[in-house]
Every structure is written in C-alpha cells, then in structure tokens.
Amino acid sequence: MAATDIARQVGEGCRTVPLAGHVGFDSLPDQLVNKSVSQGFCFNILCVGETGLGKSTLMDTLFNTKFEGEPATHTQPGVQLRSSTYDLQESNVGLKLTIVSTVGFGDQINKEDSYKPIVEFIDAQFEAYLQEELKIRRVLHTYHDSRIHACLYFIAPTGHSLKSLDLVTMKKLDSKVNIIPIIAKSDAISKSELTKFKIKITSELVSNGVQIYQFPTDDESVAEINGTMNAHLPFAVIGSTEELKIGNKMMKARQYPWGTVQVENEAHCDFVKLREMLIRVNMEDLREQTHSRHYELYRRCKLEEMGFKDTDPDSKPFSLQETYEAKRNEFLGELQKKEEEMRQMFVQRVKEKEAELKEAEKELHEKFDRLKKLHQDEKKKLEDKKKSLDDEVNAFKQRKTAAELLQSQGSQAGGSQTLKRDKEKKN
C-alpha cells in the first residue's frame, strides 16, 4: 500500500494505537556493540617511505608498545613488503593489528618501478577478499580481512618539495587506499620551514591530482574537529619510545644537546593530532572507506573484466544468472570456435607435414636413382677396365708363350751347332 493511501486513511479518522509500554528495540545499538566487542576488530596499516624515516618507531609510539621487527638495510635489490600481525587489548576491546612496511623503498638507483610491488600487494588483498565473497560457502564473519585500511606515507623532511618518487607512488595508490601523508622526523627543520613545506606539499598534491584521505565532515559529532584537522594535513610527526622526566612527569621525548622535543606536546609536533584522527576518531571510517570505496572500485572493475554487467545493451536490469548464462554461452562459443580453429590448424599442419614428407620421399627417390645410376656407371667402368686388363693379360700370355717358344728354338739351334763343332774338332 502506498504511503499516500495510508496518510489518507489516517486522515479519515483511523484509530492509532500508541505503545503501552517499553518494547525494547532501542537496545539494538547496545546489541551491535556487544557483538562487535565479542568478535573483535581488525585494522591494517601500510607504512610507505624510504628507509630510515622512523616508520617502525612511529608505530611503536602510536600504539604505545614495542613491536618486534628486524631493522631494514639499504642494500635491498628491490622493494619488498613485510607484514606483521599483532593482537592488542585495550580495556575489553581486542584489536588485530597488521602493520605492513615497505622494505627497500627508495634505495635503488632506478626507482621507476618502486611502486609496483606495493600496488600488487594491495590488489592481492582485494583479490583474496573477492574470492572469499564469490565462494558458495562464505565465512566472512571469521575471515581475516587483510585489506589495507590506511596508508601512512612518510615524507622526508627536506623542506623543499616532494620527490618524483613520492608523487608517482601516491598517484598510483590514491585510488586503492586511504593515503595520509605525514612529514617524518619533523624536528629536523625549523617551524617556519615546516609551515612552508606543508603548503608546498599540499600545492604539489593538488596540482598533480593526488587524492589524499580527507577526514569526514558529514557527521555532526566529528565535523568540527575533522574539518580543523584537514587543514593541518600533512601531519608533522616525531616518534620516540624513550621516556624522559620533564618536570614531575615521564613523557615520551627525544633528547638533544640543545634541548628536548616532546612527542605528545602539540606545540612541538602533530603526533597527538595524528593519533586522535587515525585511531580515536576515524578508525571506523577508514575501514568503511576501504570497503565501500576502494574495494568496491576494484570489485566492479574485476567483475566488468570478467564480463558481468548490471544492465543489458537495452539498459534493462540484468540478473546474475542471466549474466552467467550469457557469459557461459559466449565462453562455450569461443571455446568451440577455438576448437574448430585448432582442428583446421591441425589438418593444415598434417597436410603441410604430408607435403613435406612427400617432398622428402621424392628427394630420396631422386637421390636413390642418382646413386643407382652412378653405381651402374661405376660398375660399367670397372667391367670395361676389367675387360681391358683381361685383354692385356691374354696378350701378355701370348707374348710370353711366343717368347718361350723362340727361346726353346734358339736353345735347340745352339745345341746342334755345338755338336757340329765338336764333331769337326774330332775329325
């Protein structure tokens, strides 16, 4: 029934029945809180920055603990992402905190592809969550969400301008993660230089179209503080786990020969502002923005690549089943087409092979005929040579026989002459 029909009936004198007592659905927020507290929360931070900017120290300072980790060196051949997960407890709230650091970022001579491992890592977490969503039996309530909720981008305190590496990396990441730029080790430059540096960084980000995370101002309860803090971006921070006694209190500070820098003193740095905005005020919004904005963008692009759409060519609603059937039919058609192409290619290859074999067979026959003819010619030559040799042998034998005959006749004639001479001597 339409709302106008209901209003018309109410206006005609329909009796309304007010609640006679407490029903209890106002306890739904409490139920949600109790359920969320029992399940616990997860928060994943990506720390991007060059080696030696104090990323690990700042994480220790932010969560007031000492995270285990090996110090990174400047000799890495490429950028590697190192992920560590910790279970933290504050009051009765549990937090599964994952800190991902970029080891070797900015240490190579050729920094052209330094951002690629970071983008691939973020996409890999989105892909893992998408694959879990697409399963028939999903267990998202127990699934460890490893998607990056906040990216703290550490900027070197040069006091001049952003490096090309910083601009390129943030431009590649702004559509995939909530970027919060921070100036690391901000005590390395003076207050006046720091103010100019912040203005320069903001100007360069805007001119290069880099979208950083803006603290939400649509909620009235946090609109004022978030609007004020948006004007302080990027935060200039200092990290330290060392506690020094200042006055009557123990405070986290850094001791220098010329004085002491207090980490939690807002006159010295923006560490308190970063902690308030990141953890106390906007942690849930960072989680929500990751899911509703960055992950949805990745999911939409991925499904469109797979061929899924919300509407057909006629702009009519398209159900998932229809999309699946259409994609399946398209896939089967392409598969059949490829199969036919492969079959034709196979037949063509067979014909080409048969032609090659026939050609090779023809060449072999020609070679055999040449060899056979050559053999016959050689055989004929040998026979002719043998015949000539036989003729020579026969002629030699004849000459030998004639010579022997002449020799025998000559010896007989010589013998008769000797006998005749002997007789003459006797007489």
Side-chain angles (χ1 to χ4, degrees):
M1 187 179 293
T4 55
D5 297 335
I6 296 175
R8 189 180 301 111
Q9 291 181 5
V10 172
E12 292 173 356
C14 291
R15 183 170 62 92
T16 59
V17 181
L19 296 177
H22 182 259
V23 175
F25 57 78
D26 61 348
S27 66
L28 273 174
D30 298 331
Q31 296 177 33
L32 289 174
V33 169
N34 293 334
K35 183 178 180 181
S36 299
V37 170
S38 63
Q39 290 180 350
F41 302 89
C42 71
F43 192 65
N44 307 319
I45 300 177
L46 171 65
C47 298
V48 182
E50 299 177 4
T51 307
L53 288 180
K55 300 186 291 293
S56 301
T57 303
L58 184 65
M59 289 298 102
D60 294 345
T61 313
L62 269 176
F63 293 94
N64 196 24
T65 185
K66 179 65 177 176
F67 297 117
E68 297 179 357
E70 298 179 358
T73 63
H74 293 272
T75 58
Q76 296 292 334
V79 180
Q80 300 177 357
L81 278 83
R82 184 182 298 166
S83 177
S84 302
T85 302
Y86 309 94
D87 291 320
L88 305 181
Q89 188 80 20
E90 188 173 19
S91 299
N92 64 333
V93 179
L95 178 66
K96 186 181 288 292
L97 176 68
T98 300
I99 300 175
V100 183
S101 59
T102 53
V103 181
F105 181 80
D107 290 339
Q108 295 75 36
I109 296 176
N110 184 6
K111 304 178 179 63
E112 183 178 358
D113 298 332
S114 295
Y115 67 90
K116 288 185 178 179
I118 305 174
V119 173
E120 291 172 357
F121 179 84
I122 296 174
D123 286 344
Q125 312 316 309
F126 284 154
E127 182 65 24
Y129 193 87
L130 178 61
Q131 292 301 323
E132 184 64 28
E133 269 194 337
L134 295 177
K135 286 182 179 179
I136 297 176
R137 296 183 179 180
R138 300 181 299 177
V139 286
L140 292 175
H141 60 283
T142 58
Y143 176 76
H144 178 217
D145 187 4
S146 59
R147 295 173 297 178
I148 300 300
H149 299 126
C151 171
L152 297 182
Y153 196 95
F154 289 70
I155 301 171
T158 59
H160 299 290
S161 61
L162 287 172
K163 299 178 181 179
S164 299
L165 175 63
D166 299 330
L167 288 172
V168 171
T169 304
M170 281 193 277
K171 185 62 179 176
K172 295 293 183 179
L173 296 180
D174 63 355
S175 62
K176 298 178 178 294
V177 70
N178 302 311
I179 300 177
I180 302 177
I182 59 177
I183 302 172
K185 296 185 175 181
S186 60
D187 54 341
I189 54 179
S190 64
K191 283 289 183 181
S192 59
E193 290 176 338
L194 186 60
T195 303
K196 294 178 182 178
F197 191 34
K198 282 188 175 185
I199 296 173
K200 183 67 174 177
I201 290 173
T202 305
S203 174
E204 289 185 344
L205 292 177
V206 172
S207 61
N208 287 276
V210 178
Q211 300 292 327
I212 63 174
Y213 175 73
Q214 295 291 320
F215 302 116
T217 56
D218 51 354
D219 187 355
E220 294 181 358
S221 60
V222 295
E224 183 178 355
I225 184 173
N226 280 347
T228 303
M229 291 303 171
N230 281 330
H232 284 84
L233 288 172
F235 293 130
V237 298
I238 302 168
S240 176
T241 56
E242 182 182 358
E243 292 190 351
L244 301 176
K245 187 174 182 180
I246 301 175
N248 296 325
K249 295 182 179 180
M250 297 297 293
M251 297 182 180
K252 289 183 173 62
R254 300 185 72 89
Q255 183 70 50
Y256 294 104
W258 52 86
T260 303
V261 178
Q262 300 174 23
V263 174
E264 297 180 345
N265 188 337
E266 294 192 46
H268 292 182
C269 69
D270 297 331
F271 173 80
V272 174
K273 295 183 178 67
L274 173 64
R275 185 176 61 187
E276 292 290 301
M277 292 296 98
L278 181 66
I279 301 175
R280 191 179 71 85
V281 180
N282 298 301
M283 179 179 281
E284 181 57 29
D285 183 74
L286 286 165
R287 287 157 43 90
E288 178 63 25
Q289 285 290 322
T290 299
H291 180 78
S292 62
R293 181 187 169 194
H294 301 296
Y295 170 70
E296 283 300 320
L297 176 61
Y298 176 85
R299 176 180 174 274
R300 183 173 71 247
C301 295
K302 199 70 176 180
L303 292 179
E304 287 178 353
E305 289 178 4
M306 295 168 63
F308 292 97
K309 297 180 180 179
D310 292 331
T311 57
D312 59 10
D314 298 330
S315 299
K316 295 180 180 180
F318 222 41
S319 67
L320 183 62
Q321 182 177 358
E322 292 175 350
T323 306
Y324 172 75
E325 290 295 336
K327 193 66 180 176
R328 184 174 182 272
N329 294 333
E330 181 183 354
F331 174 75
L332 291 176
E334 292 180 357
L335 186 63
Q336 186 175 2
K337 183 179 178 182
K338 287 183 179 180
E339 185 178 356
E340 184 64 26
E341 290 177 355
M342 291 181 67
R343 185 182 292 109
Q344 293 178 0
M345 186 181 297
F346 176 75
V347 172
Q348 183 67 24
R349 291 284 181 85
V350 169
K351 290 181 179 179
E352 291 176 358
K353 198 67 178 178
E354 287 179 351
E356 290 178 2
L357 291 175
K358 287 181 179 179
E359 188 67 24
E361 185 179 4
K362 183 179 179 181
E363 290 179 359
L364 287 175
H365 281 300
E366 291 177 354
K367 186 176 181 180
F368 175 75
D369 293 340
R370 288 198 303 271
L371 291 175
K372 185 177 180 181
K373 184 178 180 181
L374 182 64
H375 173 71
Q376 290 175 353
D377 293 342
E378 291 291 332
K379 184 178 180 181
K380 186 177 180 181
K381 288 180 181 180
L382 288 174
E383 288 177 353
D384 293 343
K385 193 172 183 179
K386 180 181 178 183
K387 184 177 180 181
S388 61
L389 288 174
D390 290 340
D391 293 342
E392 290 179 3
V393 169
N394 293 331
F396 175 76
K397 287 181 178 179
Q398 290 177 1
R399 288 196 300 272
K400 182 180 179 182
T401 304
E404 290 177 351
L405 180 61
L406 290 173
Q407 186 178 2
S408 62
Q409 290 176 358
S411 61
Q412 291 178 0
S416 61
Q417 289 178 0
T418 303
L419 290 174
K420 187 178 180 180
R421 283 195 301 269
D422 291 339
K423 286 180 178 182
E424 289 177 353
K425 288 179 178 179
K426 290 180 177 179
N427 295 328

